[in-house]
Each structure stands twice: as structure tokens, then as C-alpha cells.
Amino acid sequence: MGTIVVSENITLDGVVQDPTGEEGFTLGGWFNHFTGADREQWSAIEHEEARNAAALLLGRRTYEWFATRWAPRPGDWADRLRALPKYVVASAALDGPDWNQVEVVKGDVVEEVSALKARVDGEVVVYGSRLLVQALLAHDLVDELRLTTFPYLLGSGARLFDEIGPAMRPLNLVASRAIGTTLALRTYRPVRDA
């Protein structure tokens, strides 16, 4: 059985909007402010995560963003991402380059992701895809949250944990580590009834 792992870059105040500054958000581009050893360590962690993944689950816009950047890129990390099966939640046709092994997930997201968990063995990693992540959280389909926190308070912008419903969701912190001198990676798992 598969596990749904949400892996996000996020600001201290929970913003995930426009990390690379390409969407026109006035505070976008916050991801681009870290460099050097911090970026190298972050890249190594992300590359390892891709090596350990069994598949990717992405929203349409995130898929198109990744496909444009990673499909033509050389190297082991890009090769690994190309080789992974990709499940894309999309109600419209995909735009942009084909990125190998892509299956469009249509229909009820909760039913489709539940079926995906039943048939994939290993980690199904979700990058970006804010609206998809919110739906997965609202329906208790996330098995692990990996949050790489960037040391910025933006004060506005789309936040990851908005729109997940009013119920309190307890989580256990299962790992925490510094990435260089500016970032922190925290891993949480939901507390579920036995």
C-alpha cells in the first residue's frame, strides 16, 4: 500500500504562493533568496526524496511547471523524475511538454487518490499543488508532511493550510533538521485512531 507524502517549501507564516516569482504575486520569489551551501543541502535532500519515491501526484499547474523545467534537464535527478510514474489531477487537458509516464486522474479526487494508495507500493510524493494538498488534508489522505521552512514572514499570500476544514488535526513531529544556516525541514505524521 502506498503512502501520500506532501513535500512543500513554505514560509514561516505558511505561504506557498509563487515561490519562484513567476506568477506575479508582489511577494513572490522568496524561494530564490537562498544560495550556496544551503541550496546544495536542500538539493541533496530533494534528490534523495525523488530516489525514494515510487510515484508523483501533482495538480495540473504544478505538473506543467515541473514538466517545462525538468523534462529537458540533464542529470541523475532529472532522469529519476522522468522515470517516476506521474499522476496528475486535472479537469482540463494538460498544456506543455510531455514528461514521460503521465496518467491524468479525473473524477472524484478522494476516490481516485484512495485507489492510487491501494495500488502503488511506496511513497507517492506531492510537490506544490496547493489546492490538491488542501483536498487531501481535508479528507485525511495525507500520511506524511515534509515542510521545508524558509525564514520569511510575508504577511499575505495563499497559505497551505487554508481551506482544509475546521476540524483539528493532531500531528506527531517525527523528524526535524536544519538545512544549512537558514532552512528547517520538519516531518510530521497524522495521529490517527488505532
Side-chain angles (χ1 to χ4, degrees), residues 1-34:
M1 179 149 186
T3 57
I4 302 295
V5 175
V6 171
S7 180
E8 294 284 347
N9 297 311
I10 189 167
T11 66
L12 274 171
D13 55 349
V15 175
V16 291
Q17 183 177 356
D18 199 9
T20 57
E22 299 168 55
E23 299 171 26
F25 173 48
T26 56
L27 299 171
W30 48 268
F31 176 88
N32 300 324
H33 293 286
F34 82 113

Side-chain angles (χ1 to χ4, degrees), residues 84-151:
L84 285 169
K86 293 157 210 64
Y87 300 92
V88 182
V89 176
S91 57
L94 299 179
D95 190 22
D98 183 22
W99 193 25
N100 298 350
Q101 298 197 64
V102 176
E103 180 180 322
V104 176
V105 176
K106 294 185 178 179
D108 182 75
V109 173
V110 173
E111 290 176 14
E112 295 296 329
V113 172
S114 295
L116 180 65
K117 284 178 72 166
R119 73 175 188 263
V120 173
D121 186 26
E123 293 182 353
V124 179
V125 178
V126 183
Y127 295 124
S129 309
R130 179 179 57 88
L131 297 176
L132 171 60
V133 169
Q134 290 172 344
L136 297 175
L137 286 166
H139 293 282
D140 195 29
L141 289 170
V142 175
D143 300 297
E144 188 168 284
L145 280 166
R146 295 178 188 155
L147 305 176
T148 300
T149 307
F150 286 67

